[in-house]
Amino acid sequence: VSVRGQPQVLARLVAEGERAGEGGNLKPNAITYNSLLTAYTNAGDMAGAQQVLKRMVQAGLSPDTYTFNTLIAAFVARREVRAAEKMVAYMQEHGVLADVVTYSQLLQGYATKEGDMGKAEEVLERMARDGVAPNSYTYNYLIEGYVKAGEMDWAEDVLERMRTVGLAPTSMNYCVLMDAYTRRRDARGAEKILDRMKKEGVQANVQVFTTLMNAYAKRGDVEGAEGVLARMLAVAEEEGGGSKDCEPNVHTYSTLMNVYARAGLAAGAEGVLTRMTAAGWAPNVITFTTLMTAYSRAGDPEGAELVLKRMEAAGVSPNVLTYNTLLSATSRMGLREGEVEERRAKRVLQVYDTMRRSAGKGGGLEKAPDEATYTVLLTCLLRFPKRLTKEVYKLILEDWRRLVPTRNRSDRNYQSFITVLAAMGDWEEMATVFREAQARFQKGQLSPREYSKVEATFREKGGYYVRDGEEKDADSRSA
């Protein structure tokens, strides 16, 4: 049963047990309700999950720590930290004590989802008052929050606070700090974190080395990334059996492949794939998509399309990113002498059509096209022959509204649609798209920086000279 279908199946079984009453063999117990609640949270149905909690209480069963932690984790994952906080209060009302997992999840919500480090520190204080000792994961969320806030000194200070309470920082904690340097493309800073780990006797593992490799990957430093792989292999094979924790895995090789892909070195990326399979690792969707990126950046759309066929032959299903990469590659497709732009345009639309048909039940694509799909597609549309553009832009606009939730629509989406709609002379739709962006800005769902880009595009394309679906005349423009 699929994850999305599972709650309904389990719900029917629970309902049958509830109807059977005391004498039935299917009478649900706490484990049954917890399983059903987990199924709903996995499917993203929080209303259904909370209804399960209500039914559980009505059945005379006591929700336990697992019940509440499951709900709290789901709310935090959805960035609904206030709802998670309310669930903690409800938990305490039922006499269930919050544990380290409860508080760690709540701290994670404030620190990494909302960026409210004051509230995160308050959670740590609540733990102390309630006699709940934080663990390495608790502090890891705190470090991550300070890193995201750009407060590296505070993040470093958390390591000292851990030592103060008798907790030795782990490779996981150091890895979060290293990732901060990686995001800045500061390979030297990442190397310093590794040096500190060695001095303090903390063994680096595959995650640490792969994060360091990614720092070189973001700089486009092939030699540096290859050097990290060589160090990993040396540690894994050193005298005395080495460290199995440092053996490169599929993620490591995919990261190395990404260095070659960024540089458009398809042959180098293929070489990494050869080494990866020789080491016993089967390529996954990330590996193949990265290889496709290498061909795309090398200006070889035919090579990128062949990667899709190789994926299918290997039994690996493409994801949305795979198709987005293929769309981007196809949009760069070279044309032979005498060929017209229409050939490229039609091939892009064929890729998109395959993607649309693959999305949904039984289609093989778990998620529908996303906001990045339409950013790529709309950029292509602007280069299409005008006749072909007129045929497809309404379909794409309709798909975007149907398939991409409003909360996921980016400023680039709005800019692209405004540009295309202006080119089509569809002023009414252009104004509608802009008004949606404006409403989201007013609700705080688009940042001032994002909104300013959308407004600038709307102004540039003559949006403020459009009234009641019709463009104002030249005199009005100059007024």
Side-chain angles (χ1 to χ4, degrees):
V1 180
S2 69
V3 172
R4 290 190 179 277
Q6 194 177 32
Q8 286 69 38
V9 174
L10 282 173
R12 285 199 297 271
L13 292 174
V14 171
E16 287 177 16
E18 288 172 339
R19 283 194 296 271
E22 292 289 341
N25 295 325
L26 293 175
K27 182 175 174 57
N29 56 22
I31 296 174
T32 314
Y33 282 108
N34 280 341
S35 298
L36 179 58
L37 186 144
T38 301
Y40 274 109
T41 55
N42 286 343
D45 186 349
M46 296 307 296
Q50 290 179 88
Q51 187 62 32
V52 172
L53 176 62
K54 183 178 179 181
R55 287 165 60 186
M56 186 177 185
V57 173
Q58 289 173 342
L61 296 169
S62 299
D64 56 16
T65 306
Y66 177 87
T67 311
F68 288 108
N69 283 350
T70 300
L71 284 163
I72 291 165
F75 279 124
V76 168
R78 293 164 61 89
R79 298 179 181 271
E80 297 178 22
V81 185
R82 297 294 179 275
E85 188 74 82
K86 288 179 181 178
M87 194 54 61
V88 174
Y90 187 56
M91 176 182 190
Q92 293 169 336
E93 286 173 13
H94 279 73
V96 180
L97 295 177
D99 63 6
V100 64
V101 176
T102 312
Y103 283 120
S104 295
Q105 289 174 159
L106 191 58
L107 189 150
Q108 179 192 19
Y110 284 121
T112 69
K113 305 298 183 181
E114 290 198 345
D116 190 336
M117 297 310 298
K119 287 285 188 182
E121 291 283 5
E122 285 178 14
V123 173
L124 207 58
E125 292 172 7
R126 286 162 62 183
M127 293 180 75
R129 287 197 302 269
D130 292 347
V132 179
N135 60 22
S136 294
Y137 289 95
T138 315
Y139 284 109
N140 212 52
Y141 294 134
L142 199 61
I143 294 170
E144 189 178 348
Y146 280 120
V147 164
K148 284 190 172 183
E151 299 285 355
M152 290 300 293
D153 288 343
W154 284 92
E156 296 264 7
D157 183 62
V158 174
L159 295 180
E160 297 306 317
R161 289 161 63 181
M162 290 179 69
R163 294 187 184 95
T164 301
V165 298
L167 268 179
T170 66
S171 60
M172 172 183 66
N173 303 131
Y174 282 107
C175 198
V176 175
L177 285 176
M178 184 179 284
D179 188 55
Y181 289 104
T182 295
R183 291 173 188 275
R184 299 176 182 181
R185 303 182 181 184
D186 184 356
R188 184 175 297 179
E191 289 279 9
K192 286 180 179 178
I193 296 296
L194 183 60
D195 289 341
R196 281 179 57 185
M197 292 178 66
K198 289 179 181 176
K199 289 177 184 175
E200 294 175 18
V202 180
Q203 176 65 54
N205 57 19
V206 63
Q207 183 182 7
V208 171
F209 277 116
T210 302
T211 301
L212 177 61
M213 181 184 287
N214 199 27
Y216 285 104
K218 286 183 178 295
R219 289 167 52 91
D221 187 342
V222 174
E223 186 177 348
E226 287 281 8
V228 175
L229 179 64
R231 278 186 274 173
M232 291 180 73
L233 293 170
V235 173
E237 296 172 2
E238 66 187 7
E239 189 176 352
S243 173
K244 294 293 183 183
D245 289 340
C246 288
E247 287 186 353
N249 58 23
V250 64
H251 182 53
T252 309
Y253 285 108
S254 296
T255 301
L256 181 59
M257 185 182 289
N258 190 40
V259 190
Y260 289 98
R262 283 170 174 266
L265 301 173
E270 289 281 9
V272 175
L273 179 59
T274 300
R275 282 184 276 169
M276 175 180 162
T277 52
W281 295 101
N284 60 18
V285 63
I286 296 173
T287 314
F288 280 118
T289 302
T290 304
L291 183 59
M292 186 180 285
T293 300
Y295 280 105
S296 175
R297 296 203 172 188
D300 185 355
E302 287 80 8
E305 291 203 21
L306 283 174
V307 173
L308 184 62
K309 293 179 180 177
R310 289 161 65 180
M311 288 180 72
E312 293 168 350
V316 177
S317 298
N319 61 18
V320 173
L321 180 58
T322 310
Y323 278 110
N324 287 348
T325 303
L326 186 56
L327 275 173
S328 182
T330 308
S331 72
R332 298 190 183 108
M333 182 176 68
L335 298 175
R336 298 183 183 86
E337 188 176 350
E339 288 185 321
V340 293
E341 188 71 22
E342 190 163 338
R343 177 176 176 269
R344 189 202 321 252
K346 286 185 175 179
R347 184 63 194 119
V348 167
L349 293 174
Q350 285 171 359
V351 173
Y352 175 60
D353 186 58
T354 301
M355 186 180 187
R356 288 176 76 240
R357 286 187 285 104
S358 297
K361 294 181 179 179
L365 191 64
E366 290 186 3
K367 294 183 179 179
D370 60 12
E371 54 91 19
T373 308
Y374 293 99
T375 298
V376 173
L377 202 56
L378 289 164
T379 301
C380 298
L381 269 184
L382 291 172
R383 299 201 301 265
F384 285 2
K386 202 155 189 176
R387 178 192 63 76
L388 196 58
T389 304
K390 284 183 177 179
E391 291 178 8
V392 299
Y393 91 92
K394 285 189 177 179
L395 168 67
I396 290 172
L397 181 63
E398 180 185 317
D399 280 355
W400 176 65
R401 285 182 171 147
R402 180 171 56 88
L403 299 174
V404 180
T406 304
R407 65 179 181 275
N408 292 345
R409 296 172 191 172
S410 68
D411 56 312
R412 293 183 65 188
N413 273 174
Y414 292 118
Q415 287 177 273
S416 299
F417 269 114
I418 287 169
T419 302
V420 169
L421 291 165
M424 293 297 99
D426 195 338
W427 310 111
E428 187 176 351
E429 282 289 3
M430 186 175 83
T432 300
V433 168
F434 176 67
R435 280 195 295 269
E436 180 186 300
Q438 198 172 46
R440 290 189 61 208
F441 167 65
Q442 291 167 351
K443 293 177 182 177
Q445 296 170 351
L446 278 181
S447 71
R449 184 168 177 270
E450 291 170 327
Y451 175 70
S452 66
K453 293 178 183 178
V454 178
E455 187 177 36
T457 303
F458 187 65
R459 186 185 301 276
E460 178 192 337
K461 299 303 174 183
Y464 283 114
Y465 301 106
V466 177
R467 180 176 58 200
D468 299 329
E470 301 222 350
E471 191 174 12
K472 293 183 181 179
D473 56 33
D475 292 338
S476 298
R477 281 176 175 256
S478 60

